[in-house]
Amino acid sequence: LSPVCLGSLRRAASINAEYMGCYITVYARHFLIFKADEFTEKFYIDVHGLTSKDFEPIEQKEEVYVPPQRTPPPHNGYGEEEDSLGSFYSLIPKPPRRNYAKLLKYDKTALRYLCKLVSENPEDQDRRFIIEFFLSDDTIRVYEQSMRNSGFVAGKFLDRRRCKNVETGEWFKPEEFYMGGRLIINGFVFDLLEADEATLNIMENDAQSFKKSNIELILRTLAEKLWAKDSEKVQLYSEIKSKFGDVVGVELFAELCNQLQWELDEHQKLTIFRKFDKDESGRLTFPEFCIALEKYQPAGAEVPADATNSKVEKE
């Protein structure tokens, strides 16, 4: 310490023995004395006659500064939201970064669905739309199909743009689009009815992302429910074959799902039929379907022999 500081400390010690916690002024600045090292403590005890109680350190609770959170203002609808946020986070806005690897991988690749508008107005019941979801930048475009004497002009219904899912508060993701689903896009409610062949192939090739088109995941879930240890569904296995036969259509398969309490949506049922309907007749071969379920048979479960030994009738 400088002589000025030492002199201030000596004056503080001579004036008040309990100088811990006192303030001293050095060059018009106030300093709080709250702790001393061993040498200083020994010096004042030997020279000035202080005791160790006079050097008990003062505990200071340091206040953690929590910076205020900056809440972005709502988007005004002009341009993209990322561009508007650029001027909020920086004085010199920068264009948002684009995922060029994704743009090159999914260039001109889109999921297309036929959908209908959910509305209480009777004039909207027959309106049909085409929803396109572009995988390169997660944008959505909606077209209205031409309907004679409908009174609505066909064409562009929603220009290509990114939209947020009102249920999750996040941007729409490709796995949220599937047959039988219901989406709210730009304030309009749509029911997805069909998907084209290219869309179904894209979803089946990327089964890890599109769970509705993952045939292995679907079969594993059905097998777990079929061979549940605490149920009697194993006894129904032989009854199913005698009731439904070797070939099962769409309506019979829906009845089978109700009987076995298989909760499948329209897209999952379509995935099963695309796997086991080899001739595209709208019917799947039940023995082949049972053989596929055996791959996911739990340990200790028994499968009736007559369920998979049946000969498939070719029609």
Side-chain angles (χ1 to χ4, degrees):
L1 296 174
S2 64
V4 177
C5 297
L6 292 176
S8 300
L9 291 175
R10 291 192 184 98
R11 287 194 301 271
S14 60
I15 295 174
N16 188 0
E18 298 177 357
Y19 71 93
M20 281 297 184
C22 297
Y23 287 89
I24 60 173
T25 303
V26 180
Y27 294 118
R29 291 179 175 86
H30 302 286
F31 293 89
L32 172 66
I33 303 176
F34 65 92
K35 190 177 181 180
D37 58 7
E38 295 181 359
F39 177 80
T40 304
E41 182 179 349
K42 183 179 179 181
F43 172 78
Y44 277 96
I45 291 176
D46 297 341
V47 177
H48 296 279
L50 300 181
T51 61
S52 59
K53 293 183 178 180
D54 298 327
F55 291 91
E56 293 181 357
I58 299 175
E59 296 183 359
Q60 279 190 323
K61 296 182 179 180
E62 297 182 1
E63 297 182 359
V64 180
Y65 174 73
V66 179
Q69 296 182 355
R70 298 182 300 173
T71 304
H75 184 48
N76 56 10
Y78 293 97
E80 296 184 358
E81 186 172 353
E82 289 83 359
D83 290 335
S84 300
L85 290 176
S87 60
F88 174 79
Y89 291 111
S90 176
L91 294 177
I92 304 177
K94 298 180 180 180
R97 294 182 178 180
R98 306 182 67 181
N99 190 344
Y100 289 99
K102 186 177 181 180
L103 288 173
L104 294 176
K105 181 179 179 180
Y106 297 107
D107 185 28
K108 298 180 181 179
T109 303
L111 306 177
R112 294 177 178 86
Y113 297 89
L114 174 66
C115 61
K116 69 175 182 178
L117 182 64
V118 180
S119 175
E120 297 180 354
N121 300 327
E123 58 272 14
D124 295 334
Q125 301 302 319
D126 296 331
R127 299 176 69 182
R128 294 296 181 265
F129 299 83
I130 300 295
I131 294 180
E132 292 180 312
F133 184 90
F134 295 88
L135 298 177
S136 58
D137 53 1
D138 296 341
T139 54
I140 299 175
R141 184 170 60 187
V142 183
Y143 280 93
E144 184 171 2
Q145 287 187 335
S146 176
M147 299 289 294
R148 297 186 60 182
N149 301 325
S150 63
F152 296 97
V153 180
K156 186 184 299 184
F157 186 80
L158 177 66
D159 200 2
R160 184 174 176 177
R161 54 175 295 185
R162 295 181 67 188
C163 300
K164 283 190 175 182
N165 191 339
V166 296
E167 297 181 356
T168 61
E170 300 178 356
W171 301 110
F172 273 111
K173 301 177 182 179
E175 56 268 18
E176 296 175 346
F177 290 78
Y178 57 89
M179 290 176 52
R182 173 170 291 188
L183 301 176
I184 302 177
I185 302 176
N186 201 27
F188 295 92
V189 184
F190 296 96
D191 281 343
L192 305 184
L193 304 178
E194 300 178 5
D196 59 6
E197 185 68 20
T199 299
L200 296 176
N201 291 333
I202 293 173
M203 300 178 70
E204 292 173 357
N205 293 333
D206 191 7
Q208 297 297 328
S209 301
F210 299 96
K211 304 299 182 182
K212 303 291 184 180
S213 297
N214 193 336
I215 186 63
E216 294 185 359
L217 179 61
I218 297 174
L219 293 178
R220 184 182 296 110
T221 304
L222 299 183
E224 291 176 356
K225 293 184 178 181
L226 180 63
W227 284 294
K229 295 182 180 180
D230 56 346
S231 65
E232 299 179 354
K233 296 187 178 66
V234 178
Q235 300 178 0
L236 298 175
Y237 210 89
S238 299
E239 299 178 2
I240 294 172
K241 175 184 172 299
S242 60
K243 180 177 181 180
F244 296 98
D246 294 337
V247 180
V248 179
V250 178
E251 297 180 357
L252 292 179
F253 186 76
E255 184 179 351
L256 173 64
C257 294
N258 294 333
Q259 184 175 353
L260 296 178
Q261 298 180 1
W262 287 344
E263 298 178 358
L264 298 175
D265 54 33
E266 296 299 327
H267 199 110
Q268 291 174 326
K269 293 178 182 178
L270 178 62
T271 302
I272 294 177
F273 272 83
R274 286 174 59 85
K275 177 66 176 180
F276 299 101
D277 184 13
K278 302 298 182 181
D279 55 356
E280 299 182 358
S281 62
R283 296 179 296 177
L284 59 85
T285 55
F286 186 73
E288 183 181 359
F289 177 68
C290 295
I291 293 175
L293 288 178
E294 286 187 27
K295 297 180 181 179
Y296 311 98
Q297 174 185 353
E302 297 181 357
V303 183
D306 57 348
T308 58
N309 293 337
S310 303
K311 296 182 179 179
V312 180
E313 299 179 359
K314 296 183 179 180
E315 298 183 5

